[in-house]
Amino acid sequence: MKKIVLTGAAGRLGSYLREPLSKLCNEFVSSDIADSVSNLATNETYVQADITNLDAMVALLEGADMVVHFGAIGDEAPMDVLWGPNFYGAYTVWEAAYRNKLRRVVYASSIHAVGMHKKTDFIGIDAPHKPDTFYGLAKCFAEDLASLYWDKRGLESVCMRILSCAQPTNSRAVGTWLSYDDLIHMVEGAITTPITGFSVVYGVSNNDRAPVDNAKAQHLGYRPKDNAEEFAKEIYAAEGPLDPHDPANTHHGGPFAAVELGNSGVAHLNLSTDDTGKE
């Protein structure tokens, strides 16, 4: 592939993706609002750009084949905080991709687009949107935007509903864990699959207790390898019995399903010190 662009390259997940994505193309461009990133690959350049600026996004995506869009605020926040980067920022990326005739947008969506479904429902990729927060609502908006740009403008998209891409530290993560290796595998599949149209895939590892069904996303070639069951006994023993009436325990969104709108969900995830955010 000639050129791939990654937004959100200075974030935690973007940082894991930079090296493997640089191997899939001749020219790799990382972008974020940070001043710089370190350890650039030999074919990598960094461009500081704001995803709320349409002209900046059009310039950033010039000559690209695909864009991997991870740039956004990675937590629940008031609507006026999320509106620019998470809502309008999605529009600028898809519109810039269309204007530059890109083949595909690979998007970091989230389980929070369907977070108010109950975990016992074992939902598939065709489950109707049921957001748990303004953050989840932004993911619904971007997924619908992706569908619209495919139907009306022929721009392919893969929306990856990431569950929990962080070290397993709580009982929810025994089912929702997405390892970093499986994250990379999923993104690579989203890029290299010849035809995707508008596709949705759940970003979850091969967990025995995974609460979602990825069967209808088999065409993307995503076959996760890691399994959080190895952490189950220790985590369950440490946490003890859970309240079966707490939405944080019963819904796909976990703590995001329980917090008041506008309040952080990440703050309740008990993340490892090595994991600083993004669901």
Side-chain angles (χ1 to χ4, degrees):
M1 199 167 294
K2 185 174 62 174
K3 178 179 176 181
I4 295 175
V5 176
L6 170 66
T7 70
R12 179 170 60 86
L13 301 189
S15 298
Y16 278 99
L17 291 173
R18 284 173 48 212
E19 181 180 4
L21 291 185
S22 71
K23 297 176 181 178
L24 298 179
C25 54
N26 295 328
E27 180 184 357
F28 178 58
V29 177
S30 295
S31 181
D32 210 308
I33 57 173
D35 291 336
S36 62
V37 294
S38 59
N39 301 318
L40 293 174
T42 56
N43 64 332
E44 179 183 7
T45 57
Y46 179 76
V47 177
Q48 184 181 29
D50 187 339
I51 58 175
T52 65
N53 185 323
L54 177 58
D55 290 339
M57 289 299 103
V58 172
L60 179 69
L61 300 189
E62 183 178 0
D65 299 292
M66 295 187 188
V67 55
V68 179
H69 179 35
F70 272 67
I73 293 173
D75 191 7
E76 170 66 344
M79 176 62 83
D80 59 346
V81 175
L82 296 176
W83 181 257
N86 292 40
F87 287 86
Y88 185 69
Y91 163 73
T92 66
V93 169
W94 262 273
E95 179 63 18
Y98 168 69
R99 293 188 189 185
N100 281 295
K101 297 181 172 57
L102 270 67
R103 278 183 55 197
R104 188 175 303 160
V105 179
V106 177
Y107 174 59
S109 188
S110 171
I111 188 62
H112 300 298
V114 290
M116 291 308 296
H117 285 284
K118 292 183 178 180
K119 288 198 291 186
T120 51
D121 290 344
F122 193 60
I123 58 175
I125 61 171
D126 52 358
H129 284 160
K130 201 171 178 65
D132 52 27
T133 45
F134 292 137
Y135 173 75
L137 183 65
K139 300 302 185 180
C140 295
F141 171 78
E143 288 188 7
D144 287 345
L145 188 73
S147 177
L148 178 66
Y149 269 67
W150 167 243
D151 289 339
K152 299 297 288 286
R153 291 181 163 177
L155 175 60
E156 290 189 318
S157 294
V158 176
C159 296
M160 305 175 296
R161 288 180 183 164
I162 296 170
L163 276 72
S164 299
C165 195
Q167 294 302 315
T169 57
N170 56 68
S171 60
R172 175 174 176 260
V174 174
T176 62
W177 183 46
L178 173 65
S179 71
Y180 296 122
D181 285 345
D182 285 337
L183 167 69
I184 292 167
H185 170 46
M186 180 176 61
V187 174
E188 288 176 342
I191 290 171
T192 59
T193 296
I195 296 174
T196 66
F198 166 69
S199 293
V200 175
V201 60
Y202 285 111
V204 63
S205 285
N206 188 36
N207 305 323
D208 289 354
R209 304 171 200 255
V212 293
D213 183 4
N214 252 342
K216 292 185 178 179
Q218 295 293 304
H219 63 287
L220 295 174
Y222 177 54
R223 305 292 187 273
K225 303 293 193 300
D226 294 319
N227 190 333
E229 195 64 24
E230 63 181 291
F231 308 106
K233 184 176 181 180
E234 180 179 351
I235 289 174
Y236 288 161
E239 289 205 336
L242 301 178
D243 180 357
H245 303 291
D246 184 351
N249 298 328
T250 59
H251 291 71
H252 281 280
F256 282 63
V259 298
E260 290 293 329
L261 290 175
N263 292 347
S264 172
V266 168
H268 300 274
L269 287 172
N270 187 31
L271 293 174
S272 160
T273 54
D274 295 329
D275 299 309
T276 56
K278 192 168 174 58
E279 273 266 291

